[in-house]
Amino acid sequence: MKNSRRSFLKKAALATGTVFGIPQYIPAAALGRDGFVPPSDRITLAFIGAGNQAGNDVRGFLPDKRVQVTAICDVNKKSPGYWNGKVAGREYIQQVVNDYYSEKQGKSYRSAAGYTDFREVLQNESIDAVEVVTPDHWHAIPVMMAAAAGKHIYCQKPLSLTVEEGRAMSDAVKKYGVTFQTGSQQRSSHHFRRVCELARNGRLGELHTVTCGLPGGTPDFGKTGHLTETVPVPSDFDYDLWLGPAPEAPYSPCRTHVNYRWVMDYSGGNVTDWGGHHPDIAQWGMGTDHTGPVKIQNAQAVWSDHPVWNTATRFYFECIYADGVKLIIQSDKDFGVTFHGTEGSAWATRGDHKTTPETLMDTVIGPNETSLYRSDNHYENFIDCILSGEETVAPAEVGHRSITLAHLGNIAMMLGQDLDWDPVKEEFIGNFAANQLLARKMREPWASLYRSLQV
């Protein structure tokens, strides 16, 4: 049954649909004719994670008539503490989904079931694809389990908490052959694609330096930064499951929901939060998607003095590649991505790009030159590739290699050392202490589960 359904989906790649529920008669639209996709033949999509980014992404998938969002999973039922202190959580995102489909249907319609434990979602054979949109420390295990279950995966950036977890995720996706999209959506922007093509095709001359300017600080996105004291866990929040493989820690509101990114046990600060964006584009433009630098040097950081938050508030480090190109990743300066060559430069940020000299803006990339993967909608690209079987614009290996830069930078800043890196073996050369930081110890029973999922 599943195979015949998948066969239909591939044939219906360009089809659309508006029919919901079970009709009293079977019109042509319900049979897939006249450009419609019947509900039973849409790609069923579940969200694992229901925070502020899930709210953004679910709204990105809902308009695609090839998709039916059927499940929302989160350990938090509903509460404030998300972006700008706003409300999110399992029931909130369920309501977003149900309201959307009800409006399209013209009557009350319930589409999204609620789950607390992601394992129940992955055991549901009716679900074709999942988005993993949890805190970073909860990416690896759900992704690897989803791959083993044959489910297609959209995983938000930063792909992994550690280099080791990123490698394990990419290997699992490769073994099981599922479609995978990393949520590094800047690859679906023509501004970034354009400057990368200029760099890749020699329009800037010989490339020598790339600069990535990222935000610094530890902004109090959730309006909970002052709530540092240990307090009782809210009754509708499974905090132990939220911690999962991370170390035990007393509950305080400032460490969860959107502000988790400022605690090293769960994330890596703005170094990793933005490391899945501008450094990812740098790798694209340098043509180093499947490799990495050979040295990390001149690492400098100012670390948070908050009672709970402990990530870098200011940072600077350099990644040196085998061909001599220097990639600078820094905070609070030159925001965006700038490629510098011997004959010009190209800069891009969200919604804009510029070149020096300006005449480079009009140069045409010829048919025999390097034309990069064209995607204009990151969500649609994921669905397109499920249907076609082709690789997405931001596959797992690419997402892993890009966020590795951020992990290496954090390690170099923590140790205060220049580090030599082997991008083939993915280990530091001659530095035992640095190599110990490529992975992080997990709590049981999650550690054993993680090991069992490694391929």
Side-chain angles (χ1 to χ4, degrees):
M1 187 70 174
K2 191 81 168 179
N3 289 337
S4 64
R5 182 169 182 274
R6 179 62 58 227
S7 176
F8 176 89
L9 287 170
K10 289 184 177 180
K11 293 177 182 177
L14 300 177
T16 57
T18 57
V19 180
F20 291 83
I22 301 174
Q24 295 179 351
Y25 64 96
I26 303 177
L31 297 175
R33 299 195 293 271
D34 301 330
F36 291 90
V37 178
S40 61
D41 285 309
R42 294 192 182 112
I43 293 170
T44 51
L45 176 64
F47 276 73
I48 299 174
N52 54 276
Q53 189 59 44
N56 295 334
D57 290 353
V58 78
R59 291 178 177 92
F61 278 113
L62 283 171
D64 193 324
K65 296 175 183 178
R66 302 167 298 176
V67 175
Q68 185 84 11
V69 178
T70 60
I72 305 296
C73 177
D74 200 280
V75 295
N76 185 36
K77 183 177 180 181
K78 185 178 178 181
S79 76
Y82 294 90
W83 201 263
N84 289 328
K86 293 180 180 177
V87 168
R90 181 176 67 252
E91 288 193 350
Y92 175 82
I93 303 298
Q94 281 181 267
Q95 194 64 49
V96 169
V97 173
N98 292 334
D99 286 351
Y100 180 89
Y101 287 135
S102 293
E103 182 179 352
K104 291 296 181 182
Q105 174 72 353
K107 62 180 180 181
S108 180
Y109 185 84
R110 297 179 61 84
S111 173
Y115 294 81
T116 300
D117 193 323
F118 71 93
R119 290 169 292 187
E120 295 181 32
V121 174
L122 298 179
Q123 290 167 1
N124 187 334
E125 294 183 359
S126 71
I127 292 172
D128 298 313
V130 298
E131 175 168 354
V132 177
V133 60
T134 53
D136 309 354
H137 72 288
W138 256 127
H139 282 187
I141 290 174
V143 163
M144 295 161 74
M145 289 185 71
K151 300 189 188 301
H152 306 293
I153 306 159
Y154 187 113
C155 181
Q156 261 304 334
K157 45 58 54 188
L159 180 71
S160 64
L161 182 69
T162 66
V163 174
E164 182 200 71
E165 290 180 22
R167 168 50 53 214
M169 294 161 72
S170 182
D171 288 350
V173 167
K174 181 178 180 180
K175 175 179 178 178
Y176 296 108
V178 296
T179 300
F180 189 98
Q181 179 84 296
T182 309
S184 300
Q185 74 272 14
Q186 291 182 172
R187 288 199 177 220
S188 292
S189 161
H190 74 276
H191 296 289
F192 292 103
R193 182 172 62 250
R194 174 62 171 167
V195 298
C196 287
E197 287 185 339
L198 294 176
R200 293 277 288 268
N201 287 289
R203 296 299 196 277
L204 310 179
E206 185 177 350
L207 193 66
H208 57 79
T209 307
V210 183
T211 302
C212 291
L214 315 183
T218 51
D220 186 9
F221 293 134
K223 309 303 180 187
T224 59
H226 61 293
L227 302 176
T228 61
E229 299 296 322
T230 300
V231 297
V233 179
S235 59
D236 292 327
F237 180 40
D238 189 335
Y239 178 59
D240 185 67
L241 186 54
W242 185 92
L243 285 172
E248 282 193 52
Y251 172 74
S252 57
C254 70
R255 72 168 63 242
T256 62
H257 305 331
V258 69
N259 284 333
Y260 75 86
R261 51 184 34 86
W262 314 134
V263 181
M264 289 295 286
D265 283 337
Y266 322 129
S267 187
N270 266 322
V271 177
T272 56
D273 196 44
W274 275 87
H277 289 311
H278 293 341
D280 174 65
I281 297 300
Q283 290 254 104
W284 203 19
M286 292 188 292
T288 56
D289 281 342
H290 290 81
T291 183
V294 297
K295 190 178 186 69
I296 309 295
Q297 64 183 27
N298 298 326
Q300 306 163 39
V302 174
W303 300 93
S304 174
D305 60 0
H306 186 273
V308 176
W309 302 343
N310 58 1
T311 57
T313 58
R314 296 173 59 193
F315 50 88
Y316 177 97
F317 57 94
E318 300 168 356
C319 304
I320 309 299
Y321 288 75
D323 61 1
V325 173
K326 178 191 294 185
L327 168 60
I328 298 170
I329 298 176
Q330 61 188 1
S331 62
D332 301 318
K333 185 179 179 182
D334 302 324
F335 187 76
V337 187
T338 310
F339 296 92
H340 300 275
T342 55
E343 298 178 19
S345 63
W347 165 86
T349 191
R350 295 181 181 181
D352 196 12
H353 73 278
K354 296 178 181 177
T355 63
T356 303
E358 289 186 8
T359 53
L360 288 175
M361 292 283 282
D362 299 323
T363 187
V364 176
I365 305 300
N368 296 322
E369 295 185 280
T370 299
S371 294
L372 296 177
Y373 192 128
R374 184 185 179 98
S375 165
D376 296 314
N377 184 303
H378 217 58
Y379 308 111
E380 289 181 3
N381 177 247
F382 175 56
I383 303 304
D384 289 343
C385 292
I386 291 176
L387 296 168
S388 69
E390 296 178 359
E391 192 169 68
T392 65
V393 70
E397 182 65 18
V398 167
H400 163 59
R401 291 291 186 167
S402 293
I403 201 57
T404 289
L405 304 179
H407 296 323
L408 300 184
N410 264 334
I411 291 170
M413 291 188 296
M414 285 188 283
L415 295 177
Q417 298 176 0
D418 291 350
L419 300 170
D420 294 317
W421 176 249
D422 184 334
V424 177
K425 296 181 179 178
E426 293 186 283
E427 62 183 33
F428 293 106
I429 300 171
N431 194 313
F432 177 83
N435 281 323
Q436 300 312 297
L437 298 176
L438 295 174
R440 300 191 196 180
K441 186 176 180 180
M442 292 186 180
R443 284 199 306 162
E444 293 291 356
W446 307 110
S448 295
L449 176 58
Y450 172 73
R451 288 192 296 269
S452 74
L453 293 166
Q454 289 180 289
V455 299

